[in-house]
Amino acid sequence: MRKRLLKVVCAVLPAALAVVLTTPAAHAAAPVDYVALGDSYSSGTGAPPYTGGTCFRSPRGYAQLWANTHEVSSFKYAACGGATTDSMTGQFDSLDAGTDLVSITIGGNDIGFASTMITCVTGSDSSCLNAVDKGVQQARTALPAKLDRTYATIRSRAPGATVVVLGYPRLVEPAGTCLNATKRTALNNGADVLHEVIAARAAAAGVRYVDARAHFAGHGACGRSPWINSFSLLRLVESFHPNAAGYAQGYLPLLDSAVG
């Protein structure tokens, strides 16, 4: 019996080895040249420690995490906290014809993200509603053209790249413990409008858009399992930004799902 089994193994093994040796190249993912663009949600702000000076880039940001867990031939971490569509000129210099993958989160600062959050935390209900309404108006009127120019520039600088636009989550858990119901609702409604605008312009540009809202549901600031930092005067720059779990469990899977 042993001799017969040995003969069968010897007969099958060469063919099996041939399959193993010849198929990996067909299935292995080729290393990519990856460039991460955008604002603080792309730079990893909210999950220290930081590099990059005032750009607040974090090794815990989703971009660095993706580069760490995938085959990359190069990775350029150009995203910078505080970036707007108008201030991205320097970031675009990281793109070239060899870029394979671009990720970007942008638009929140164009409509006054930081000032709106501070107003809603420190001001009255009416001042919060007015700030959100102002941001919504900017999102619907001025932001679309700015996003169009941004996506067009990326396309022109990196014509062969897969471009993934990551959206923003609703910031505050609807039944959370911070702010009040009026302010929480206003902020989350503003996030919905921002989603609609970014999604529409990404579709018009022919780039991939990923809606972050459903995945972050249940993990907003001031909830039981927050992926977003609550407001803190001692950590002002990190307020209402994803924490380490928000990038690792929130944004990283979203980027993975978009890239495949």
Side-chain angles (χ1 to χ4, degrees), residues 15 27 41 55 59 69 103 107 127-128 148 164 199 203 254 257:
H27 297 286
Y41 271 60
C55 282
T69 53
S103 65
S127 62
C128 176
D148 289 348
V164 179
L254 292 175
S257 70

Side-chain angles (χ1 to χ4, degrees), residues 8-259:
V8 171
V9 171
C10 290
V12 172
L13 188 57
L17 286 174
V19 172
V20 171
L21 292 173
T22 57
T23 56
H27 297 286
V32 300
D33 292 297
Y34 172 34
V35 178
L37 305 176
D39 57 21
S40 52
Y41 271 60
S42 291
S43 70
T45 304
Y50 302 116
T51 61
T54 56
C55 282
F56 295 99
R57 296 190 192 101
S58 171
R60 294 180 173 183
Y62 70 78
Q64 184 67 67
L65 294 176
W66 196 94
N68 292 346
T69 53
H70 293 75
E71 292 292 328
V72 296
S73 49
S74 69
F75 171 54
K76 298 176 182 178
Y77 207 173
C80 186
T84 66
T85 54
D86 294 330
S87 70
M88 287 188 60
T89 303
Q91 293 191 36
F92 293 141
D93 292 339
S94 297
L95 303 172
D96 57 42
T99 303
D100 300 305
L101 173 64
V102 178
S103 65
I104 181 171
T105 308
I106 197 71
N109 292 323
D110 289 80
I111 64 170
F113 166 79
S115 61
T116 297
M117 296 309 306
I118 292 174
T119 297
C120 286
V121 169
T122 63
S124 64
D125 286 1
S126 60
S127 62
C128 176
L129 293 174
N130 289 337
V132 172
D133 287 345
K134 181 179 178 181
V136 165
Q137 182 180 13
Q138 292 174 326
R140 287 175 169 158
T141 57
L143 185 58
K146 293 175 179 288
L147 292 174
D148 289 348
R149 288 194 295 270
T150 299
Y151 302 149
T153 301
I154 294 172
R155 280 297 196 198
S156 66
R157 296 285 189 96
T162 296
V163 181
V164 179
V165 176
L166 293 153
Y168 299 92
R170 296 186 181 100
L171 297 177
V172 187
E173 200 58 26
T177 57
C178 59
L179 305 176
N180 60 36
T182 297
K183 292 179 178 181
R184 292 195 299 268
T185 299
L187 288 170
N188 290 336
N189 287 344
D192 289 340
V193 172
L194 185 57
H195 148 75
E196 293 169 4
V197 172
I198 296 176
R201 301 329 304 160
V207 298
R208 300 180 186 180
Y209 173 72
V210 182
D211 184 356
R213 296 172 304 160
H215 189 60
F216 272 79
H219 300 286
C222 309
R224 293 183 178 180
S225 179
W227 287 352
I228 299 175
N229 295 311
S230 58
F231 182 83
S232 171
L233 284 174
L234 299 178
R235 301 174 62 189
L236 189 59
V237 72
E238 296 167 2
S239 298
F240 296 109
H241 285 79
N243 55 29
Y247 289 117
Q249 300 175 49
Y251 271 112
L252 180 60
L254 292 175
L255 181 55
D256 272 333
S257 70
V259 176

